[in-house]
Amino acid sequence: MAGENFPTHAHRGGRIADSGHRDRASGPYARTRFAPSSRPVSDFHLTVPARPENVSIVRRLLEGVADVVGLPGDVLEDVRLAVTEACTNVVRHAYEEGEGAIDVVVRPRSRSVEIVISDEGRGMGPSPDTTGPGLGLPLISALADSVELRPGRRGGSRLAMWFPTELA
């Protein structure tokens, strides 16, 4: 049917015209939400410098992937919080001196989405800026269906998290 490939519409801060473009009345936060794809979706890969301002770029990637795979809003909120925590841990703890990178891989599958956050920093261990374990990993474990933490291939850490693509 004609028009089936056009986006569905989300109303956040404005109206989006039937053409998929913002109309003149739309606000700065209006965005187009696409209908979930029935075809397999490719993996997404992003590498950004491990700086605080880049955590929001990672969140934007996740919002785009969530639109494509039809991730429920409640699950997206859990994903955002868990990934923000994981990326913030890289920014704060992975690279003691100098700059490094946050590597993000998102692998959408039929019933789940896998998100991997990795770095090539100092790896897991006591942090010089805290007196004990933080709340980040327990929080991530509570939000995700499954979590796997292990050393990275070239040093650093690799945190894999799985989230459902459907609500139970």
Side-chain angles (χ1 to χ4, degrees), residues 4-163:
E4 283 185 0
N5 293 328
F6 283 95
T8 58
H9 306 293
H11 298 284
R12 182 198 279 185
R15 182 174 121 46
I16 298 185
D18 289 337
S19 66
H21 299 283
R22 291 184 192 170
D23 66 9
R24 293 181 192 184
S26 65
Y29 302 108
R31 64 182 184 151
T32 302
R33 183 172 300 274
F34 294 90
S37 174
S38 59
R39 297 180 307 224
V41 178
S42 299
D43 295 352
F44 298 86
H45 186 218
L46 176 69
T47 300
V48 294
R51 293 194 297 256
E53 61 270 19
N54 290 336
V55 175
S56 65
I57 293 172
V58 174
R59 281 195 306 261
R60 293 291 183 193
L61 168 70
L62 294 171
E63 289 171 1
V65 172
D67 282 349
V68 170
V69 301
L71 202 62
D74 290 346
V75 175
L76 177 58
E77 291 305 316
D78 289 348
V79 168
R80 279 186 191 152
L81 183 53
V83 170
T84 297
E85 183 61 37
C87 290
T88 300
N89 284 344
V90 173
V91 169
R92 290 190 64 210
H93 305 294
Y95 302 102
E96 291 176 318
E97 293 182 25
E99 290 196 12
I102 302 170
D103 191 48
V104 181
V105 178
V106 182
R107 294 184 181 105
R109 299 299 180 251
S110 62
R111 295 184 183 213
S112 68
V113 61
E114 177 187 10
I115 302 170
V116 179
I117 308 294
S118 57
D119 65 77
E120 295 179 2
R122 61 184 190 87
M124 295 300 294
S127 181
D129 63 345
T130 61
T131 58
L135 298 175
L137 290 175
L139 174 63
I140 292 168
S141 294
L143 294 169
D145 274 2
S146 181
V147 175
E148 176 184 274
L149 178 63
R150 63 181 185 194
R153 291 183 184 151
R154 291 175 270 163
S157 299
R158 179 186 184 278
L159 176 65
M161 304 169 276
W162 288 266
F163 296 88

